[in-house]
């Protein structure tokens, strides 16, 4: 019988494997620190679950790398974290952050699973997806129990099924604007929440960053995140809908580095990439012109911010190159 694990990895499978390895190594570093600092005994088992799951993923992936003679990425190591550094985030924020990470994990693993073919790669991404779903359940249930879970806004149930009859449904700049749809409200709510979480995370990182240019970059990110929170909140406020809470109070005043600047920049880059994707989905799901166009106007801003972050990563030799196609021109020229 043919050994299907000997089939070559596709470009999509290489990409998923490489990205998952880097994400799991950074997850190990961050959660080692969280585990050392946690005080809430109900949060501790969740951090342990995340840490053990990531370490298990790494072990599986290293086996695949070795089998394929694929150089194991450097990723992140104990050199990128100081678990003995003072506490930076509250346990409540850690729980919210892990819940947000579960959403990103589910999205990434679903996408990777959709293009995986080889059985071992399919099983890897199924495993990651199951972990993401379980983490979502664990964090949601505990946040509901502790009274820290923030539900999306409530709206009235429709009286009847109806169809759009006028182009006015798409209007948004002039004259009367129709109320936001439930889909538009959902995206606005989630984007307020993710920017609020991102701002708190970046603020904490700015406090402990060691290089001046990294601090300045993070401070700029704080301003961008707050600006976007204000913009999306304004849409909800005008509809008399509730706005997710800020997490600024979840920070301590520690300035002692718990993480390397390399880890900080990579983590922020990942959050920005997720943000661009969120805005793209929200824009596509927002028929009201003023809402859709607002997302469209903000994407270039965060794309430029992401590019500046990539330049810092490259400057300091922190950005690992993902697998690339062969450069045929270089091969032919023998260079």
């Amino acid at each position: 019988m043919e050994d299907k694990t000997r089939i070559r990895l596709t470009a999509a499978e290489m990409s998923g494997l490489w990205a998952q390895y880097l994400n799991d190594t950074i997850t190990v570093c961050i959660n080692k620190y969280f585990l050392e600092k946690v005080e809430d005994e109900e949060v501790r088992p969740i951090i342990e679950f995340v840490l053990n799951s990531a370490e298990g993923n790494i072990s599986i992936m290293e086996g695949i790398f070795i089998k394929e003679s694929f150089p194991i990425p450097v990723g992140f190591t104990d050199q990128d974290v100081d678990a003995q550094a003072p506490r930076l985030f509250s346990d409540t924020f850690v729980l919210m952050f892990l819940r947000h990470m579960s959403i990103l994990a589910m999205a990434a693993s679903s996408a990777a699973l959709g293009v995986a073919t080889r059985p071992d790669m399919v099983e890897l991404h199924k495993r990651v997806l199951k972990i993401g779903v379980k983490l979502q359940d664990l964090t949601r249930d505990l946040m509901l129990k502790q009274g820290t879970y923030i539900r999306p806004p409530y709206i009235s149930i429709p009286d009847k099924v109806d169809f759009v009859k006028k182009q006015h449904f798409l209007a948004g700049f002039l004259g009367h604007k129709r109320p936001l749809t439930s889909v538009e409200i959902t995206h606005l709510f989630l984007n307020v929440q993710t920017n609020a979480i991102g701002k708190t995370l970046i603020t904490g990182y700015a406090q402990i960053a060691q290089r001046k240019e990294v601090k300045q970059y993070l401070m700029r990110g704080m301003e961008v995140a707050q600006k976007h929170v204000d913009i999306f909140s304004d849409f909800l406020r005008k509809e008399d809908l509730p706005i997710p809470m800020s997490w600024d109070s979840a920070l301590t005043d520690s300035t002692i580095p718990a993480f390397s600047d390399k880890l900080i920049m990579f983590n922020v880059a990942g959050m920005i990439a997720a943000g661009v994707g969120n805005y793209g989905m929200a824009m596509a799901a927002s028929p009201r012109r003023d809402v859709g166009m607002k997302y469209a106007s903000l994407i270039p801003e965060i794309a430029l911010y992401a590019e500046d972050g990539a330049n810092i990563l490259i400057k300091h030799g922190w950005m690992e190159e993902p697998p690339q196609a062969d450069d045929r021109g270089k091969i032919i020229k023998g260079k």
Side-chain angles (χ1 to χ4, degrees):
M1 183 179 293
E2 181 187 8
D3 181 1
K4 293 185 179 180
T5 64
R6 296 310 307 163
I7 300 172
R8 291 175 59 195
L9 292 170
T10 65
E13 289 166 339
M14 282 188 186
S15 171
L17 180 65
W18 183 86
Q20 188 61 47
Y21 187 84
L22 264 64
N23 288 333
D24 275 316
T25 58
I26 198 172
T27 297
V28 167
C29 289
I30 291 173
N31 282 277
K32 279 183 176 179
Y33 172 74
F34 287 165
L35 188 59
E36 187 67 29
K37 301 298 136 192
V38 66
E39 296 175 354
D40 188 330
E41 291 305 315
E42 291 185 304
V43 176
R44 182 182 298 277
I46 298 178
I47 298 173
E48 290 174 338
F49 168 73
V50 176
L51 182 56
N52 293 335
S53 298
E55 289 176 336
N57 291 344
I58 289 170
S59 178
I60 292 169
M61 289 185 284
E62 286 180 344
I64 298 173
F65 283 128
I66 292 169
K67 189 174 183 179
E68 294 297 319
S69 299
F70 191 131
I72 298 175
V74 174
F76 298 88
T77 68
D78 288 342
Q79 294 181 341
D80 294 300
V81 59
D82 179 5
Q84 303 307 314
R87 184 183 183 87
L88 185 60
F89 303 106
S90 71
D91 290 344
T92 302
F93 177 78
V94 167
L95 193 59
M96 186 66 188
F97 174 77
L98 292 179
R99 179 175 176 272
H100 183 61
M101 290 301 102
S102 75
I103 296 171
L104 298 184
M106 289 188 292
S109 56
S110 297
L113 190 57
V115 291
T117 308
R118 226 171 73 169
D120 56 344
M121 297 304 299
V122 170
E123 287 307 310
L124 170 65
H125 295 304
K126 279 185 179 179
R127 170 187 163 89
V128 176
L129 180 58
K130 288 177 183 177
I131 290 168
V133 172
K134 184 172 181 180
L135 178 58
Q136 176 71 191
D137 290 343
L138 290 171
T139 52
R140 183 200 310 110
D141 291 349
L142 182 54
M143 291 178 74
L144 284 168
K145 177 184 176 183
Q146 295 185 343
T148 58
Y149 185 86
I150 304 170
R151 297 176 186 269
Y154 290 99
I155 59 173
S156 300
I157 295 174
D159 297 324
K160 57 184 174 50
V161 175
D162 206 351
F163 290 86
V164 176
K165 300 178 179 65
K166 297 181 179 180
Q167 294 296 322
H168 170 70
F169 185 80
L170 306 177
F173 293 110
L174 299 173
H176 175 71
K177 299 176 184 178
R178 63 157 172 79
L180 294 168
T181 66
S182 58
V183 177
E184 290 166 338
I185 291 168
T186 300
H187 282 289
L188 288 166
F189 175 86
L190 290 175
N191 284 313
V192 170
Q193 194 170 65
T194 54
N195 273 286
I197 294 169
K199 185 196 171 190
T200 300
L201 183 73
I202 291 175
T203 303
Y205 282 164
Q207 289 180 192
I208 64 172
Q210 300 171 66
R211 289 169 176 79
K212 183 178 179 181
E213 65 180 329
V214 174
K215 279 184 177 292
Q216 291 175 337
Y217 179 76
L218 296 171
M219 290 171 67
R220 177 179 156 203
M222 291 162 54
E223 294 175 358
V224 171
Q226 185 60 56
K227 170 187 170 183
H228 291 203
V229 165
D230 293 342
I231 289 171
F232 300 140
S233 296
D234 192 51
F235 278 109
L236 295 173
R237 193 178 293 112
K238 287 178 179 177
E239 305 276 343
D240 296 317
L241 294 169
I243 298 161
M245 65 178 282
S246 166
W247 290 93
D248 292 355
S249 61
L251 280 170
T252 71
D253 61 357
S254 176
T255 58
I256 298 175
F259 306 111
S260 68
D261 285 357
K262 171 188 171 184
L263 182 149
I264 288 171
M265 290 298 298
F266 183 88
N267 195 199
V268 171
M271 299 283 281
I272 296 168
V276 173
N278 289 342
Y279 286 12
M281 287 191 295
M283 180 171 64
S286 301
R288 212 175 86 177
R289 292 193 190 102
D290 58 332
V291 180
M293 290 301 293
K294 181 55 68 176
Y295 284 116
S297 71
L298 296 177
I299 289 175
E301 180 180 29
I302 54 175
L304 179 60
Y305 182 64
E307 181 180 344
D308 291 342
N311 287 331
I312 293 175
L313 286 163
I314 293 169
K315 175 183 175 181
H316 293 284
W318 296 334
M319 182 182 283
E320 286 190 62
E321 287 190 8
Q324 300 176 33
D326 294 325
D327 187 333
R328 295 298 171 187
K330 186 180 290 187
I331 293 172
I332 291 169
K333 293 177 182 177
K335 296 180 182 180

